[in-house]
Amino acid sequence: MSLRIYNVLTRQKEAFVPVAPGKVNIYVCGPTVYDYSHIGHAKTYVSFDVVVRYLRFAGNDVLYVQNITDVGHMLDTGEDRILKKARQASALPMQVVETYARAYFADMDALGVRRPDISPRASGHIPEQIAMIEKLLADGHAYVVDGSVYFDVASFPEYGKLSGRVIEDLEEGARVVVREEKRHPADFALWKRAEPEHILRWPSPWGEGFPGWHIECSAMAAKYLGETFDIHGGGIDNIFPHNECEIAQSEAAHGAPFARYWMLTGSLTLEGVKMSKSLGNTLTIKDALARWRPEAIRAFILSSHYSSPVDFSDEAIEAAYKGWQRIWGAVNLTRDQMRRAAPFEASAAVTDMLTAARAQFIERMDDDFNTPAALAVLQDVTRQVNTLLNEGGPQTLATLETIDAFYRDLGGEVLGIVPERAESAADAAREDGLVRLLIDLRAEARAKKDWGTGDTIRNRLKELGVVLEDRADGTTWKLG
RNA sequence: GGCGACGUAGCCAAGUGGUAAGGCAGGGGUCUGCAAAACCCCCAUCACCGGUUCAAAUCCGGUCGUCGCCUCCA
């Protein structure tokens, strides 16, 4: 029983064997920071967040690198995305980069996405990129034309092996090329000469210029993870040309395999239509978080396989949220009862049930990170926990702690959808004390059949977002 | 036009040869002062056609449909 991953490179599910046992090096293509991140970015990065969380949970020492693209990513027009935004905002390019890079991290933090170990920026690795280009030139894989350097696709026969493209077909289907200085339409820029108005520029052996989009990932992945590393991830929409070019550059330069496993996430559509900057139908993470809590968004994303395309709709995320609430309710019920449980040993039946469920969860995650199936295990357990806690009589503290540990590990540590009780323990204690006071007063009123007072307290608390639930063994509360 | 993916209940979504997980919604119950929550029961033969097989949602062929990439995109 071990991890299997669908490798896009081979189009097969394969046993995952890292280069070094117990050590996993992973690189994921990060965002180009020229605008706010949208819900599509959330899908990709939440997916890889869970991949990394699970790899660590399984005992691996993971080094996770995800770049920040802050230069070199061009628009159709040949204009740099960052520069365009800077011009529109009357700001310096690096101000734009800083603004959106911070926003990106803030969004990811809010979604519970753990930060990569290293977030290297393209602009901070110009020397590494130049060195790699020089190596490619020296080995005959690239050529210089008037201050720009292009990768010679013909020199790398395996070009197309990831995306299934054939160079001959590319030639036929190639659109009008912006710069006709390339030898072959599929050749791509490693370095571009900077026109006078292009202010993002660096000196290089070929004159003032800036790096092409693809070279940053190759250079930075090699620097931090080595020439050959374990997993390369990203969105499927970058499979061509970006990922393909990364492989060509890296393998041509190093003469060694690049990433051994390629994991690409399916795209996200919004109400049936693909989100794109050009169409303007984007939902930013910021806006999404204003409507749904982060766990709901994560639950929605994890309710389909990472490689599947998914459609984001109010109905779909609402369903995911409701499903999540059921799990969360059981977690709270467990933690609530822990406060007054007797410290006897754990129930063998419950422990056995959870042990079996945990094994099943792992089995499903081991199968190419099948989060929808793993989520189903949590739901199954939740039904049993609810039955136990509602009808099984008082449980021992040890039993409750075992249940809590199950949710904490699998729902919290791995999937990131089961949060800790509260932000601040002191605040939480005070809040709980205040609500308990009201619950006690209400109980006194209800004991005298004063339903009016009882309902008033409940309604007023509801307005404040505190929902009371009367149970046989007392009243519990939760945040609505 | 080329390459690729997909088509499972009202919705979302697992399942790749042995007779359809899970969630949401809906219907019926239990519990309850009411409410909420929870629990129980009900709710699909897997786009269509043909083939292989003792046996197919799962394999093969075809048809129809949807989507992605080929051009900026996670």
Side-chain angles (χ1 to χ4, degrees):
Chain A
M1 198 167 70
S2 56
L3 179 62
R4 294 172 65 76
I5 293 178
Y6 178 81
N7 190 350
V8 178
L9 200 53
T10 59
R11 307 272 163 185
Q12 284 178 344
K13 211 181 271 187
E14 304 173 342
F16 176 67
V17 182
V19 174
K23 170 83 185 153
V24 180
N25 281 177
I26 176 169
Y27 185 93
V28 173
C29 285
T32 301
V33 284
Y34 68 101
D35 205 346
Y36 290 112
S37 301
H38 54 63
I39 199 74
H41 294 103
K43 170 169 159 51
T44 297
Y45 301 123
V46 166
S47 296
F48 284 108
D49 179 48
V50 171
V51 165
V52 170
R53 281 163 175 257
Y54 184 67
L55 286 169
R56 290 193 168 126
F57 175 79
N60 295 288
D61 176 15
V62 180
L63 181 58
Y64 178 18
V65 177
Q66 183 191 103
N67 65 293
I68 293 286
T69 297
D70 59 359
V71 64
H73 205 154
M74 315 301 279
L75 290 164
D76 263 356
T77 56
E79 191 173 22
D80 185 292
R81 288 176 176 284
I82 308 285
L83 289 182
K84 182 180 179 185
K85 192 76 179 188
R87 205 184 61 244
Q88 290 171 340
S90 299
L92 292 170
M94 282 301 141
Q95 273 184 289
V96 170
V97 166
E98 207 54 45
T99 298
Y100 293 111
R102 288 179 193 177
Y104 169 71
F105 284 120
D107 287 342
M108 291 300 137
D109 288 349
L111 284 173
V113 172
R114 294 195 179 147
R115 295 199 181 189
D117 297 299
I118 304 175
S119 299
R121 290 193 186 181
S123 67
H125 295 74
I126 301 297
E128 288 86 346
Q129 297 178 66
I130 288 176
M132 193 163 181
I133 295 169
E134 288 188 300
K135 179 80 165 64
L136 288 168
L137 279 167
D139 293 348
H141 287 294
Y143 54 92
V144 182
V145 181
D146 193 20
S148 290
V149 186
Y150 292 96
F151 184 86
D152 181 7
V153 167
S155 77
F156 188 73
E158 290 184 85
Y159 188 78
K161 68 179 177 182
L162 179 71
S163 60
R165 297 299 143 84
V166 180
I167 292 182
E168 291 72 55
D169 294 345
L170 289 173
E171 192 161 17
E172 290 170 22
R175 70 200 178 94
V176 180
V177 190
V178 178
R179 287 185 179 171
E180 278 303 347
E181 55 194 26
K182 294 194 283 188
R183 288 184 194 163
H184 186 287
D187 288 352
F188 53 92
L190 296 169
W191 186 267
K192 289 188 178 179
R193 67 171 173 277
E195 303 302 334
E197 69 276 12
H198 200 105
I199 53 178
L200 270 181
R201 57 202 295 150
W202 289 264
S204 81
W206 318 285
E208 294 258 310
F210 56 94
W213 173 34
H214 316 303
I215 193 73
E216 58 166 288
C217 287
S218 292
M220 298 191 295
K223 173 166 183 171
Y224 299 109
L225 301 175
E227 296 181 352
T228 298
F229 57 95
D230 302 302
I231 300 172
H232 187 122
I236 186 80
D237 45 346
N238 271 337
I239 189 171
F240 188 88
H242 184 61
N243 297 153
E244 198 67 71
C245 295
E246 280 183 78
I247 293 177
Q249 294 165 339
S250 297
E251 301 196 343
H254 302 136
F258 190 44
R260 309 216 309 169
Y261 299 85
W262 280 80
M263 294 176 63
L264 301 177
T265 57
S267 294
L268 181 146
T269 53
L270 188 59
E271 305 287 352
V273 185
K274 170 151 195 206
M275 270 194 295
S276 78
K277 276 94 187 185
S278 51
L279 289 175
N281 63 329
T282 56
L283 172 64
T284 63
I285 292 173
K286 218 173 278 297
D287 289 342
L289 282 168
R291 291 189 59 188
W292 299 285
R293 51 182 299 167
E295 294 85 1
I297 295 172
R298 287 183 76 100
F300 164 75
I301 290 168
L302 300 177
S303 71
S304 62
H305 189 74
Y306 74 83
S307 64
S308 302
V310 302
D311 186 50
F312 189 96
S313 64
D314 283 11
E315 196 182 8
I317 192 170
E318 201 57 39
Y321 174 53
K322 293 275 184 56
W324 170 81
Q325 276 190 311
R326 184 158 163 275
I327 293 171
W328 185 224
V331 173
N332 278 320
L333 190 56
T334 303
R335 293 177 181 173
D336 198 60
Q337 296 196 356
M338 280 169 72
R339 286 194 303 232
R340 50 194 141 92
F344 299 124
E345 61 190 45
S347 148
V350 175
T351 302
D352 289 349
M353 183 275 283
L354 291 173
T355 299
R358 189 179 280 256
Q360 193 174 38
F361 180 95
I362 288 170
E363 189 181 316
R364 293 176 176 192
M365 286 299 284
D366 270 347
D367 183 15
D368 197 25
F369 307 96
N370 192 337
T371 55
L375 232 25
V377 174
L378 292 194
Q379 290 290 174
D380 282 335
V381 165
T382 295
R383 186 183 331 99
Q384 299 185 64
V385 167
N386 276 325
T387 298
L388 185 75
L389 267 38
N390 284 309
E391 295 157 24
Q395 299 299 315
T396 67
L397 182 59
T399 297
L400 294 166
E401 281 173 341
T402 305
I403 294 171
D404 187 47
F406 175 87
Y407 281 118
R408 199 176 291 275
D409 289 350
L410 308 186
E413 197 59 30
V414 177
L415 300 181
I417 58 171
V418 174
E420 293 299 318
R421 169 64 100 175
E423 320 68 50
S424 151
D427 287 352
R430 186 185 310 114
E431 182 181 51
D432 186 61
L434 289 169
V435 176
R436 296 245 150 243
L437 175 62
L438 290 166
I439 286 175
D440 289 345
L441 289 173
R442 176 165 171 270
E444 285 179 27
R446 295 176 71 222
K448 297 178 204 155
K449 300 257 196 258
D450 179 3
W451 308 123
T453 301
D455 289 349
T456 298
I457 291 174
R458 186 171 65 196
N459 293 336
R460 292 283 298 278
L461 283 173
K462 178 108 193 269
E463 288 169 20
L464 294 170
V466 176
V467 179
L468 300 189
E469 290 176 9
D470 294 326
R471 300 164 43 78
D473 57 349
T475 301
T476 64
W477 70 275
K478 67 176 182 184
L479 295 179

